[in-house]
Amino acid sequence: MTRSDEDMLENLLQDARARPQPVPQALMDRILADAIAMQPEPAPRGWRGLWQAIGGAPAFGGLVTATAVGFWIGVAAPAGVSDFAAALITGSDALSVEVAQETGVADLTAFGWDIEEL
Amino acid sequence: MVQAALNGAPAPASGMKMDRHASGSDGLAAQDPDAVLLVRYAQGDRTAARLLTVRLSPLVFGHALRVLGDQAEAEDVAQDALMRLWKIAPDWREGEAKVTTWLYRVTANLCTDRLRKRHRGVPLEDIAEPADPGETAEARLQRGAREDALQTALDALPERQRHAVVLRHIDGLANPEIATILDIGVEAVESLTARGKRALAKLLGGQRDALGYEDDKI
């Protein structure tokens, strides 16, 4: 490789570097269309963001149900619930005994649990 | 693992070993403006999509065009490479690699796949030359002849040398970054570019008169 060949090559490479081939507009348009088609949706803000943050309609349905059940238990509590709640809050050791006494083994069989027993 | 370090970019198609010398430009990724744009893109920012397209398309298309020597194939490769970037954007791990390094690597692999499937080179007349309004017809012809001669010589280089020469001397990347892109050592890059340049000079040496270099002060 002679010095002049080296210089010529440097010159050719320099020209190639200085004059990059322009990207055809149609290609640019296609690439941008791909980019937008593949782009994830922006995260919603404000009330919509909060709504989605709590899980949307399914989670809201669960919240409503839980609230209604809680309200109903407050209005018409089944027998033993108040004792159970009191024992739970005070941490009484008598809890398990009282529950067993009030519920009774016969009640449990009503759910078919005895079938599973060996 | 190199693949993990490059955000899942596919390994080079060559059978070359996967040792990783240069941490290359990975350390710069924290300040990588393209990575910032990519995060914004993944958050749904349309402006980021536009900016990334404008910034990255020329790099990918230019490299593919020089390596493949065919406009239609280069366009396909550019679109495909960027499609992969859009796909990986939500999972992009910041700080692991520069976006451009990742993209050059994907582009190089796509070009390699095409070169291996191809039977022969493609006519270079198909490549549209950038117009320069201030240029005379004679100068334009001269420039066209020089560009064609350079591309023909590049096409004659072995695939790895061609990638290395284009990345180093036309795309203007530093050797450590090229090492990361081609997944070889810096010394191997230096060797490839040196051999590539020697081969190019030899291929072009007999065309000095035809390319008008006898009269030029170069």
Side-chain angles (χ1 to χ4, degrees):
Chain A
M1 179 161 66
T2 64
R3 180 72 206 155
S4 56
D5 286 347
E6 261 183 71
D7 290 344
M8 178 180 69
L9 179 58
E10 283 300 334
N11 190 260
L12 287 170
L13 291 170
Q14 197 178 340
D15 280 352
R17 205 165 39 239
R19 305 176 71 99
Q21 292 288 336
V23 181
Q25 189 56 48
L27 173 62
M28 198 74 100
D29 293 344
R30 286 202 303 276
I31 290 173
L32 184 57
D34 286 344
I36 289 169
M38 303 276 295
Q39 190 167 28
E41 285 296 317
R45 294 180 178 186
W47 285 109
R48 276 189 66 198
L50 184 64
W51 176 251
Q52 293 210 348
I54 63 165
F60 188 71
L63 273 176
V64 169
T65 306
T67 306
V69 169
F71 179 75
W72 179 250
I73 288 172
V75 170
V81 167
S82 54
D83 295 340
F84 178 76
L88 198 67
I89 292 166
T90 58
S92 166
D93 291 340
L95 175 64
S96 57
V97 177
E98 287 172 14
V99 169
Q101 284 173 347
E102 294 202 9
T103 307
V105 177
D107 292 342
L108 293 176
T109 61
F111 295 99
W113 292 354
D114 55 331
I115 296 170
E116 298 292 329
E117 288 179 8
L118 294 173
Chain B
M1 181 84 185
V2 172
Q3 286 195 9
L6 274 183
N7 265 296
S14 80
M16 298 189 77
K17 62 191 172 109
M18 293 290 286
D19 62 327
R20 179 125 184 265
H21 284 243
S23 56
S25 49
D26 291 1
L28 298 175
Q31 292 89 40
D32 182 7
D34 294 317
V36 174
L37 284 173
L38 200 57
V39 170
R40 281 175 49 195
Y41 168 82
Q43 291 168 346
D45 185 339
R46 288 287 164 90
T47 308
R50 198 163 287 111
L51 285 172
L52 282 169
T53 301
V54 170
R55 285 168 67 91
L56 301 177
S57 299
L59 305 183
V60 179
F61 174 70
H63 181 78
L65 189 59
R66 279 296 171 192
V67 170
L68 296 170
D70 176 68
Q71 175 133 355
E73 280 197 290
E75 288 190 18
D76 287 348
V77 164
Q79 194 173 357
D80 195 357
L82 283 161
M83 179 70 96
R84 290 170 192 227
L85 182 67
W86 310 137
K87 207 175 282 183
I88 202 176
D91 304 318
W92 183 261
R93 296 186 293 269
E94 275 190 275
E96 284 191 2
K98 275 176 73 179
V99 172
T100 48
T101 305
W102 183 92
L103 204 51
Y104 270 122
R105 182 167 180 169
V106 170
T107 306
N109 291 341
L110 291 171
C111 289
T112 298
D113 288 346
R114 283 179 179 258
L115 287 172
R116 290 180 182 180
K117 284 179 193 162
R118 188 196 285 178
H119 296 294
R120 57 172 295 278
V122 177
L124 300 166
E125 306 83 65
D126 293 348
I127 300 175
E129 289 169 20
D132 182 350
E135 197 175 30
T136 65
E138 191 183 354
R140 190 160 53 245
L141 281 173
Q142 181 82 277
R143 184 168 54 76
R146 289 176 177 181
E147 284 181 359
D148 286 355
L150 176 63
Q151 187 63 53
T152 305
L154 281 170
D155 289 348
L157 291 183
E159 174 196 311
R160 301 291 283 180
Q161 281 182 26
R162 196 186 319 178
H163 275 299
V165 168
V166 171
L167 287 167
R168 180 76 187 93
H169 295 289
I170 297 180
D171 297 328
L173 303 186
N175 284 348
E177 188 170 9
I178 298 170
T180 307
I181 292 164
L182 298 180
D183 199 30
I184 55 177
V186 177
E187 299 83 3
V189 172
E190 288 165 0
S191 167
L192 280 173
T193 49
R195 279 186 285 141
K197 277 186 79 177
R198 272 201 301 276
L200 282 179
K202 198 174 171 185
L203 286 162
L204 292 163
Q207 303 177 55
R208 291 184 58 81
D209 290 345
L211 298 178
Y213 277 105
E214 286 305 318
D215 302 329
D216 285 6
K217 300 276 184 214
I218 56 176

